[in-house]
Amino acid sequence: MSFAAYKMMHWPTGIENCASGFVTHSRADFVPRIPPIQSDDLDSDWPTSRREIGPVPNLVVTAGNVLEVYAVRLQEEDESTRNSRAPAESRRGGHMDGLAGVSLELVCHYRLHGNVETMAVLSSGGGDGSRRRDSIILSFQNAKISVLEFDDSIHGLRTSSMHCFEGPEWLHLKRGRESFARGPLVKVDPQGRCASVLVYDIQMIMLKAAQHTFKVLVAKNFELDAFGLLLIGGSPVGKGVAGSGLVGDEDALGSGGAVSARIESSYIINLRDLDMKHVKDFIFVHGYIEPVMVILHERELTWAGRVSWKHHTCMITALSISTTLKQHPLIWSAAENDSGINMIQHLLCYIYLTIPGSKAYMNLPHDAYKLLAVPSPIGGVLVICANTLHYHSQQILFKFYAFYAFFSQEMPRSPFSVELDAANATWLSNDVVLLSTKTGELLLLTLVYDGRVVQRLDLSKSKASVLTSGITTIGNSLFLLGSRLGDSLLVQFTYGMGTSMLSSGLKDEVADIEGDAHSAKRLRRSSSDVLQDMASGEELSLYGSAPNNSESTQVVYYSGMPHLFFFPDELVTCRDFSRKLGTEDKRVATEKSFSFTVRDSLVNVGPLKDFSYGLRINADPNATGIAKQSNYELVCCSGHGKNGSLCVLRQSIRPEMITEVELPGCKGIWTVYHKSTRSHDTSKIAAADDEYHAYLIISLEARTMVLETADLLTEVTESVDYYVQGRTIAAGNLFGRRRVVQVYERGARILDGSFMTQNLSFGAATAESSSGSESAVVTSVSIADPYVILRMSDGSIRLIVGDPSSCSVSISSPVDFESSKSSISACTLYHDKGPEPWLRKTSTDAWLSTGVDEAIDGADGALQDQVDNFISGRPNLVDAFVQEEPKDPQKVTNKSSEELACQGRKENTQNVKVVELAMQRWSRKHSRPFLLGILSDGTILCYHAYLFEGTESTSRIEDSVSSQNSSGSRLRNLRFVRVQLDAYAREEMSDGLSCQRISIFKNIAGYQGLFLSGSRPAWFMVFRERLRVHPQLCDGSIVAFTVLHNVNCNHGFIYVTSEGIMKICQLPPITSYDNYWPVQKIPLKGTPHQVTYFAEKNLYPIIVSVPVHKPLNQVLSSLVDQEVGHQFENPNLNPDDLHRTYTVDEFEVRILEPEKSGGPWQTKATIPMQSSENALTVRVVTLFNTTTKENETLLAIGTAYVQGEDVSEIYSKELKGAISALASLQGHLLIASGPKINLHKWTGTELNRIAFFDAPPLYVVSLNIVKNFILIGDVHKSIYFLSWKEQGAQLSLLAKDFGSLDCFATEFLIDGSTLSLVVSDDQKNIQIFYYAPKMSESWKGQKLLSRAEFHVGAHVTKFLRLQMLSTSTDRMGTTAGSDKTNRFALLYGALDGSIGCIAPLDELTFRRLQSLQKKLVDAVPHVAGLNPRSFRQFRSNGKAHRPGPDSIVDCELLCHYEMLPLEEQLEIAHQIGTTRIQILSNLNDLFLGTSFL
């Protein structure tokens, strides 16, 4: 293999960053609800009045290089009862605060040419009435920053500014370093005045926000903060003080489009000049006139061995940021020196109190890692450490120990044990912070605040939940638990004031937030008199109190900044002390009752640690070709800890078949309803979903069959009045399902059940029609009750208009269409129904009645621009002309085929035309219509409608039409944005009379969308206003499809294959289709590590580790070698510590079998490991039994003991070193044991070593075998290429990579007779090597040579070699056994949840696609201004590396070619000397050749 293509097949799903902000709308767009009657009962246990839901911002998430913006949709209680057909995900979680459901709706989705390191939302800084919007700040390696804002005119994100601090001119920022522990870190000022990015560990980039019209700031009450800055009224600037001089005057913005926050300029602060060397975190604090940045840094590094000598090494420093003067004076700093405290005062003085005998704890522990800004009116900052929590503010420095307090008994201790390292946090209210720990526990931390000072911190346990990677609050009632290790959860919370703490004694119950979403956890605020007895070591429950013990020492945790006061000699309560300071006691003993419910979730299949390729339960053994590939599924080890699961991924859908019958010659099938007593009442729409179908109409080549769809499908063709003498074109229901319309080639019939009520004929020519219309027959039909539009074979249009009162219809030929000189190639009816007719929002005119009559005419001469827009596939469509039609309340969309001006082109595109159209809006309150068009060359154009109310002059769409055409349009606010379709292969259209391929469904197993029939059928399912495309390959070509709902087939469907077989099916249950691939999750309640497949019995052995709580003395004693007789003694641990529980992982191998019905998998056997024994690898191996001379299939497990000496057991064989990898080699077992490679033969009872290889590897992570060749990947020493010779029993080294590479996975890549070696590393690269002993660069064959290198952007953990499918172009002119038939691709899985493949290419295709790739770098507008060439360059992390050849093309960039307008596609193809058809054919062949699942 000399050339290859990199192709992403399943994009990342593990959320790494999440934030909320008003990106697509402003705070002023929020319409408040009518407030309910308030209750005065404050003692109730539950809130009796609804909490008002304020403005709800957008949710922005990133996963790898994927950026998504969601709108949060609220469904109120009265809406849910009125609209029971709302999707299930919007009704999840019951009722809370007047809401019956909350769901996420996708606004825009982008795949960036770079991984997002950190993200923040730059606030516009206004109050709740602000019309300004927020912007998104993204940071990328190494120092790239992009600022994005939402553009209404294109309904997407556009880049407002870019800031790059890389390259030769910025080399001095690195200070000679090449590698850095982390990427850029972005934080923003709460009031939106600036943002800052920490790059290269010590360089702070300041981004100044653009300021608009200034307002006068008048501060009536102010106080000095400990940092020496002005604090405005204790409230955030922009709320307490309107505008704050930083927000543009909204009146000056005009009534046009909204203005987003923008960055005006940037500059750099070198923190080393401020004596800061090791910055851990920084934050902007609330409530100051100027931005104040607090930086957490470590002056002197320490480590675990020096903790007893040097523990408090961290400190915080505050800078006042003046972005105008570019000054950053140090206003406050705390560090240890001779006097204990060092204060630097700047500008404004402040006063603090000291009391003799007090002791200061200004230095922070070495494990401090995160800062959290406390919202106004409290203000200040929380410092989160691994074991402690610290609060710093104007009046108080407060410490709270959350873990075992090994340090000082003076600190308050948590009543429970918890580890806070790697925790994530967000604010639920201005005094309650939600902490999510690394074990998935949710903690609620309350700052007990009396209006002036924070008296103490209260920590309580709440629910258990997913292991989070980020957490963000959305508005005042929602938060998102973003996760890389499990599904991300959208949670609604509410709280109310309950009973006094003194009278309550409730238990602390920890429940799982996913399983028990309704029980409330109570977070209590106790009175200041109730103190905990810390001197005696007694831990009081947060849910009850004990009387004060006057004889014991009471520690009062209240201090004036910067000292912590401690009174050992006399009892002083907080109340006494506050009175000494002259404060007024206003505290009230209250409790806050929190309740959580999960509202929505985002599916995550990562991290993919390992996967196996196995047969599905319902596999078809007779399938061949591409249909055979749908027999397989990918079983993946996913998640961690309690979020661990097996993810079963299937790239295509294989329906569950109920029955099948032969039906040759079928051209179309339809099911219709019939309810004669049904009244024309739209309020019965809820019951309509459960109504059974009455008839199944089957169109054959020369006749029509009619079947009753009762308990059994029985033919009633002879006893009904349907037209059965010829084939049917279409059938459907009219007049609220009271009538059936059947359209055939020369007429139509209206039926009431089985009786005909009206017969229409299209044979006679109308006066307006041309003379040749007598021979015209119906070719396509679109039905929208009570209208039917017909396209005739001569290109004319007929419209059937229904009268609901008499249930009769009449035919009309619209004059607008008849006068058109061009023939119409496709037409569709769009029924704008639902609780809120969507198209009415697109008009600026007044709607006086519901019977407004409009039609969009695409055949008129004034529409040449729009016609070209649609066929060429422009990114945005603009409505150009609207003509009124007197009796049609439906919207009729028509597109005519026009020739494209392509003179001078080698390619003829004159016959490219639209052959089918569909426009549909599915039933949801905020849903928008989709428009699908199929072109004659097989291209599918998909558009999503949106509103844009700007004037023509403000539109950013280049090809928008002139204002003369659109000024008269009543739909001139209507726009369409192009949607990219994943996982769909183009299909060449046949020249013959094609049947309609698009079938819309509204309820198949609760899902809605459309089905695309043809040679490559696919499901287009609608979730969150996005189309999920799932192909169905198992039956080959499908010629007809329809839904079926009856007794035996509940919300199922019927389809007919091209081989003449009709199948009645249902969608597989327990499968989530709201993902790039359909996925089924099998929870394991443990961490899966490795999985293998046993094909003979269809079993999956899997290594699982489960956390188990054990006493500490038991854990420590198990680590001691008992044989020598050592007794476990540790004088540093007291008996109480020895009986504390400690969590250890216990390993086991489970053997799972898929359930026949598609339910949860069954555990057939469990092989437990011994204590301290870790299972490292499991493989099904085929060994040659030297005794019986037969092959045996065995399960081999490699383990390691976590003790002083590693011993592993494989059956009865003990070896030195950890068994990290296993493989079968020509009937022998190859074992990687420590630094040694051993080859064993199997005698049936034992393993005997027959060969070994002592290589320098430190730890083998992978073994791969092809014939007698062995590929070894080492954790640090790159790869080794070995061969095995049976004669002489010799393992010999052929070549190796002399560079140092931290391998993750390895595999062989086969392209015909060429063998290549592929390896992935810790820097997210993939390298391809080859063995060429005859080349001089290989040092006489000792060195592996580089064939290609590529930056994937994800940690690849597993490669799987699969044979590529031969495509139509491969089969042309190739002989059997040629290189193209022996071609393999590598499927890979990554830790971010992505799946892709590396596929070999022939040189001609590679050169063509590489030339196209170079053109697309400049031709495609890249989101966030990122360069795809830079992204794919090899990353060496500062190590010396010689660049390898550029021999891999990036299909992530190439897929943008189909999204370009047709004119640009032709132009680029012409520039590189090829044709558009040739390029699309190459891309299509690559897609089909890698359709493995």
Side-chain angles (χ1 to χ4, degrees), residues 1261-1262 1264 1271-1275 1277-1280 1297 1300-1309 1316-1330 1344 1346 1348-1350 1352 1354 1356-1359 1386 1398 1434 1448:
V1261 295
S1262 64
N1264 306 104
L1271 175 60
I1272 299 173
D1274 185 72
V1275 72
K1277 295 289 185 179
S1278 195
I1279 58 173
Y1280 293 77
D1297 175 27
S1300 64
L1301 197 70
D1302 297 348
C1303 295
F1304 268 46
T1306 58
E1307 187 53 274
F1308 287 105
L1309 184 58
S1316 302
L1317 293 71
V1318 182
V1319 57
S1320 65
D1321 61 30
D1322 66 325
Q1323 295 300 313
K1324 305 180 180 180
N1325 304 307
I1326 284 181
Q1327 289 186 78
I1328 303 178
F1329 293 93
Y1330 67 105
L1344 291 171
S1346 175
E1349 59 186 24
F1350 192 81
V1352 175
V1356 176
T1357 56
K1358 174 70 180 286
F1359 288 110
L1386 294 186
I1398 305 292
F1434 187 88
I1448 299 182

Side-chain angles (χ1 to χ4, degrees), residues 161-177:
S161 65
M162 296 181 291
H163 312 266
C164 184
F165 297 87
E166 300 175 4
E169 65 272 25
W170 300 104
L171 207 57
H172 63 280
L173 298 180
K174 295 186 178 182
R175 301 185 60 84
R177 294 178 58 187

Side-chain angles (χ1 to χ4, degrees), residues 118-120 122 135-139 145-147 186 188 195 207 263:
T118 53
M119 174 183 65
L122 179 65
S135 294
I136 304 170
I137 302 179
L138 304 176
S139 70
I145 303 143
S146 294
V147 185
V186 183
V188 294
L207 304 174
I263 297 299

Side-chain angles (χ1 to χ4, degrees), residues 1162-1211:
Q1162 300 295 321
T1163 302
K1164 291 297 182 182
T1166 300
I1167 306 172
M1169 300 294 110
Q1170 298 179 13
S1171 179
S1172 302
E1173 183 183 21
N1174 289 7
L1176 300 181
T1177 181
V1178 58
R1179 287 289 177 256
V1180 173
V1181 293
T1182 301
L1183 303 183
F1184 179 75
N1185 190 326
T1186 57
T1187 305
T1188 63
K1189 307 298 182 183
E1190 292 179 351
N1191 286 330
E1192 294 181 1
T1193 302
L1194 303 172
L1195 182 67
I1197 304 170
T1199 68
Y1201 282 91
V1202 188
Q1203 286 186 353
E1205 200 169 302
D1206 291 334
V1207 182
S1208 284
E1209 181 179 343
I1210 303 175
Y1211 288 92

Side-chain angles (χ1 to χ4, degrees), residues 702-713:
R703 66 188 184 96
T704 296
M705 292 172 59
V706 181
L707 285 75
E708 264 189 346
T709 57
D711 294 350
L712 300 172
L713 293 180

